[in-house]
């Protein structure tokens, strides 16, 4: 008995729609992509009630004649590929020939389209996948598609929709992706009769980011070093070290112009940031990868949201390297601000005399100053200006950082050969025993002394690890511990790396390991537990861990305990030495956990705040 039956065309389309059209945002994505593929220069989007009641997308692209317009609603009808071979090098956003019939099968659908030089256009009305009306239409050249009452004929699906607000936000996100991916195209979005944004076509990605997210965010981005390899070109913008978000909404990645989600790339970005990113936070990226289309398989996800790379490792490494280089360049920008002389000493020396009005009355008592808490100036150098201390005057007198449960000789600076030019700054004082206030050519700088010391110690230890390997300490008693098979696999795989990091570990039977030494800078009471934690942390950090990466993670985790605490009092030379060491770091502007070490408040910002400049 024949049990198998071919599904009617409309049902087949609804099944396909299940994959392609998840929610109103997917409708917007598919329609906008079609508009872009059709050479539209301007795309206007209107939504009502979270797109559930209406999505309308209007473009000024090359349109369709009547035959094509009818064909576009058939499944597997596309103008974008012709043969299986074309799939190897897809240059358009669409290629499956499924979006329009899928959308039309789950909504009340209206398409009007007109080619630029045609006398009349075509209008087609479709209801739940059934074509109702085909007639001449008189719209402007281009294509306009209206999707009403989404999922009206699939109540089960409709129930899965979220609130109108959530759906609207998802639509906005989809349009942001397209807008960032195509700065040369104008976009507008109208939501429930209110214009949400109008983005003019712009010449550059930077302008588009500024228009969409504001100048404040833009100022905290760094342009990616366009360094290209023959196989992959990476461009765009990424957040400065220290800039991060609580979710992925501003972590945008494009491959050959297509917005994609890729754990491979987000993992690589994270690794590139390394210690410049706080745990649990996400970086801000507008990252564009361009590869030979044949090196990317775009046909792996029904909504075309994922891709597969032919050489995933190559892509991963290129991204990691690119992020690192970009952040390093950003550092030299920072240092520029410490290179120019600090202004007031040059032009308008600050008067040290208090103005008469502010002088204490003779009978008033002056509170006893706790001298240990105040900057100790005179003792260190012949002070010029009692209010301020010129940073460079201390250089010869600067003493080492105080020893805080940490062997200071171990931290004898091993400066890199290329010592950066003398930094210019003036220390003003220390606020609340924690924040160092200073001035550079750009204005006011606040430094968190604890975070700063963490960064300095971290880089010092890392340098030592690179140069001399890690000094280890034998455990009194070697310890064995068991791990689950998958972890055992990981340890086996990374055994030599762990050993180079100073962990004396070896296999001791199936799923059992023995440790007999640990890096001497660690203070571990329960080595097996420590190892399990390290493995957990490191496994998630990178599945292709390098010795350096593992080492950095470990150091970052231990450094904090040794760094100057918030309330530790530092004497001026110590503060100054700390700042100089900080500015010498590879990544001076954030601690090894990604928190900022310095905040710059520019003179321009101050002028604005005080209303001197509008
Ligand atoms: N806005 C538009 N302007 C001009 N032609 C369009 C437009 N939208 C769709 N088309 C035509 O209709 C065809 C079918 O569109 P549809 O979105 O269903 O498939 P696709 O874009 O080819 O592939 P995919 O399913 O991957 O999106 C397209 O190949 C294109 O030729
Ligand atoms: Mg399409």
């Amino acid at each position: 008995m024949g049990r198998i039956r071919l599904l009617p065309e409309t049902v087949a389309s609804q099944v396909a729609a299940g994959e392609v059209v998840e929610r109103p945002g997917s409708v917007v994505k598919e329609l906008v992509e079609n508009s872009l593929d059709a050479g539209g220069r301007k795309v206007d989007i209107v939504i009502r009630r979270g797109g559930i009641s209406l999505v309308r997308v209007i473009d000024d692209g090359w349109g369709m004649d009547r035959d094509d317009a009818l064909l576009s609603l058939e499944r597997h009808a596309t103008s974008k590929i012709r043969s299986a071979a074309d799939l190897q090098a897809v240059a358009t956003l669409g290629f499956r020939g499924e979006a329009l019939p899928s959308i039309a099968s789950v909504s009340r659908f209206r398409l009007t389209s007109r080619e630029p030089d045609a006398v009349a256009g075509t209008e087609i009305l479709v209801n739940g996948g059934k074509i109702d009306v085909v007639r001449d239409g008189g719209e402007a050249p281009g294509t306009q598609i209206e999707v009403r009452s989404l999922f009206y004929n699939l109540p089960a699906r409709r129930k899965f929709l979220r609130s109108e607000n959530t759906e609207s936000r998802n639509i906005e996100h989809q349009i942001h992706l397209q807008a960032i991916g195509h700065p040369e195209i104008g976009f507008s979005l109208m939501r429930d009769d209110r214009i949400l944004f109008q983005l003019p076509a712009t010449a550059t990605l930077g302008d588009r980011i500024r228009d969409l997210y504001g100048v404040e965010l833009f100022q905290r981005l760094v342009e990616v070093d366009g360094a290209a390899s023959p196989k992959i070109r990476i461009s765009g913008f990424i957040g400065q070290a220290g800039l991060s978000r609580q979710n992925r909404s501003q972590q945008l990645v494009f491959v050959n112009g297509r917005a994609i989600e890729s754990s491979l790339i987000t993992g690589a970005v994270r690794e590139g940031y390394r210690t410049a990113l706080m745990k649990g936070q996400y970086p801000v990226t507008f990252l564009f990868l361009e590869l030979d289309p044949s090196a990317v398989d775009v046909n792996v996800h029904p909504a075309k949201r994922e891709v597969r790379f032919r050489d995933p490792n190559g892509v991963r490494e290129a991204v990691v390297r690119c992020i690192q280089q970009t952040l390093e360049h950003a550092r030299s920008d920072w240092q520029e601000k410490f290179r120019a002389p600090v202004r007031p000493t040059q032009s308008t020396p600050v008067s040290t005399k208090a103005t008469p009005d502010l002088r204490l009355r003779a009978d008033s008592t002056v509170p006893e100053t706790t001298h240990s808490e105040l900057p100790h100036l005179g003792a260190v150098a012949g002070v010029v200006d009692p209010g301020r201390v010129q940073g460079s005057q201390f250089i010869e007198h600067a003493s080492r950082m105080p020893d805080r449960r940490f062997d200071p000789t171990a931290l004898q600076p091993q400066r890199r050969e290329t010592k950066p030019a003398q930094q210019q700054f003036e220390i003003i004082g220390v606020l609340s025993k924690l924040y160092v206030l200073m001035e550079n050519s750009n204005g006011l700088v606040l430094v968190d002394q604890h975070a700063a010391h963490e960064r300095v110690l971290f880089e010092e230890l890392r340098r030592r690890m690179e140069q001399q390997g890690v000094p280890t300490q034998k455990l009194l008693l070697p310890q064995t511990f068991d791990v689950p098979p998958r972890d055992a696999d990981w340890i086996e795989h990374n055994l030599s790396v762990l050993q180079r990091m100073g962990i004396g570990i070896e296999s001791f039977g199936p799923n059992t390991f023995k440790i007999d030494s640990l890096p001497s800078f660690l203070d571990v009471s329960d080595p097996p537990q420590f190892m399990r934690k390290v493995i957990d942390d490191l496994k998630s950090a990178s599945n292709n861990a390098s010795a350096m990466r593992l080492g950095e993670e470990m150091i970052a985790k231990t450094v904090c305990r040794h760094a100057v605490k918030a309330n530790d009092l530092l004497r001026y030379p110590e503060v100054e030495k700390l700042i100089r060491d900080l500015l010498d770091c590879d990544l001076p502007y954030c601690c090894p956990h990604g928190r900022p070490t310095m905040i710059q408040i520019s003179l321009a910002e101050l002028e604005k705040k005080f209303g001197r400049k509008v």
Side-chain angles (χ1 to χ4, degrees), residues 219-425:
Q219 279 172 343
R220 299 182 67 193
L221 300 177
V222 243
E223 183 150 17
V224 166
D225 249 358
S229 81
K231 289 201 185 125
I232 178 167
R233 209 182 90 81
I234 306 179
S235 60
F237 292 85
I238 62 171
Q240 288 171 351
L243 176 69
S244 61
R245 294 280 182 264
Q246 265 152 6
N247 57 43
R248 294 175 204 276
S249 62
Q250 282 182 349
Q251 194 174 1
L252 277 46
V253 176
F254 298 81
V255 171
N256 291 349
R258 182 189 304 279
I260 57 144
E261 287 163 16
S262 158
S263 54
L264 176 96
I265 294 177
T266 48
V269 168
R270 191 158 269 281
E271 178 149 0
Y273 269 92
R274 298 198 205 188
T275 57
L277 200 64
M278 264 187 260
K279 229 192 162 94
Q281 294 280 82
Y282 299 91
V284 175
T285 65
F286 302 95
L287 210 55
F288 288 75
L289 278 65
E290 277 159 62
L291 297 87
D292 179 352
S294 64
V296 193
D297 187 356
V298 290
N299 188 23
V300 293
H301 189 276
K304 296 161 285 189
R305 229 185 291 134
E306 290 167 17
V307 297
R308 204 178 287 140
F309 296 104
R310 206 162 59 183
D311 174 18
N313 272 340
V315 172
R316 198 182 136 272
E317 275 160 30
V319 172
V320 173
R321 213 175 327 117
C322 157
I323 301 280
Q324 281 172 353
Q325 279 170 4
T326 304
L327 291 176
E328 235 155 74
H329 272 186
R331 162 182 166 249
S332 50
D333 286 352
W334 239 113
Q335 285 186 332
E336 272 308 302
K337 296 183 182 147
F338 286 92
R339 212 153 275 156
V342 180
R343 267 187 244 173
T345 48
Q346 294 261 305
S347 46
T348 49
V350 177
S351 159
T352 56
K353 263 209 242 149
T355 43
D357 301 354
L358 295 178
R359 214 176 274 156
L360 287 167
R361 288 206 317 274
D363 57 342
S364 61
T365 51
V366 182
E368 185 111 323
T369 328
T370 44
H371 278 282
S372 62
E373 293 179 30
L374 286 177
H376 209 287
L377 305 179
V380 186
V383 173
V384 209
D385 173 348
R388 308 158 161 272
V389 187
Q390 183 88 38
S392 54
Q393 284 167 336
F394 280 129
I395 198 69
E396 301 88 355
H397 306 275
S399 69
R400 260 201 328 265
M401 288 302 304
D403 171 16
R404 312 208 171 253
R405 295 192 292 125
F406 199 73
D407 178 10
T409 53
L411 283 184
Q412 274 305 324
Q414 299 169 3
R415 289 275 151 255
R416 279 149 292 167
E417 300 79 63
T418 51
K419 201 171 183 306
Q422 189 73 267
Q423 307 99 351
Q424 306 256 7
F425 60 88

Side-chain angles (χ1 to χ4, degrees), residues 30-31 34-35 37-38 59 62-64 68 72 77-80 93-101 113 143 145 304:
E30 292 296 339
L31 296 183
N34 279 346
S35 296
D37 280 346
D59 68 56
W62 52 64
M64 289 177 274
D68 271 357
S72 75
T78 179
S79 57
K80 301 172 191 177
L93 295 165
F95 56 88
R96 296 166 52 101
E98 287 206 298
L100 289 190
S113 194
T143 302
I145 290 179
K304 296 161 285 189

